[in-house]
Amino acid sequence: MSKRAQQNSTPGRRIIQIQAHASNLQHPQLVPTGPGGEDKAVPPSKQSKKSSPLDRNSDEHPQHRERNNMAVKSKQKAQDALQRVNQLKEENEWLEAKIKLLTKELSVLKDWFLEGTHNLADKVQSSSTENTTSDNAG
């Protein structure tokens, strides 16, 4: 196959005409040029990932729309999940703080209860001791 290059008026791109020996058919192909407009082709990894807009009447348009719609739904689902995770983290932090507070409150109430029962036991013991000594005295 022989190739001959022909410059196109579009900046940043050039058209390469490929001529096939057997059929003499020409197949124009767009090839990106370097950033400064030089004739070096840009490697595919450096080329823009944006695809050309599809004609609404083309066969690929419904498939493209379906893929796009699925991508949008997937992205929204991921955002919703992330938002829910953040919400649950905040709720978890609040609940952990509440647990700490209630644990402290329970400890204070236990101490009061034990202090009260000790005081009551002391009173009962002292009154029974008084009754025993008065019974022994009389």
Side-chain angles (χ1 to χ4, degrees):
M1 274 197 251
S2 66
K3 295 182 182 178
R4 63 185 163 98
Q6 193 178 44
Q7 288 294 338
N8 187 3
S9 61
T10 308
R13 295 199 184 267
R14 63 185 169 129
I15 296 180
I16 294 190
Q17 299 279 339
I18 301 174
Q19 186 174 6
H21 284 292
S23 62
N24 275 343
L25 294 176
Q26 293 182 353
H27 302 283
Q29 178 182 3
L30 282 177
V31 177
T33 59
E38 64 269 6
D39 281 340
K40 289 183 184 176
V42 177
S45 63
K46 302 283 183 179
Q47 292 178 8
S48 173
K49 302 290 183 201
K50 217 173 198 181
S51 61
S52 61
L54 290 174
D55 181 21
R56 289 181 184 244
N57 298 326
S58 71
D59 291 339
E60 292 118 14
H61 184 70
Q63 295 167 348
H64 176 75
R65 294 300 317 139
E66 185 177 343
R67 281 194 312 266
N68 183 267
N69 289 343
M70 288 173 45
V72 168
K73 287 178 186 177
S74 175
K75 184 177 179 180
Q76 182 63 44
K77 190 174 182 180
Q79 287 175 344
D80 290 347
L82 184 61
Q83 184 179 6
R84 180 74 173 137
V85 165
N86 290 333
Q87 178 186 2
L88 289 172
K89 281 182 181 179
E90 288 178 15
E91 184 179 348
N92 192 38
E93 289 173 4
W94 181 84
L95 289 170
E96 285 176 355
K98 180 90 172 176
I99 288 171
K100 286 181 182 178
L101 179 68
L102 290 173
T103 303
K104 286 180 183 178
E105 187 177 334
L106 177 63
S107 177
V108 167
L109 291 173
K110 276 184 182 178
D111 290 344
W112 283 355
F113 176 75
L114 292 175
E115 186 179 308
T117 56
H118 287 302
N119 288 342
L120 181 62
D122 289 344
K123 285 182 183 179
V124 169
Q125 190 175 21
S126 67
S127 66
S128 65
T129 314
E130 288 175 8
N131 289 341
T132 325
T133 48
S134 59
D135 287 342
N136 289 341

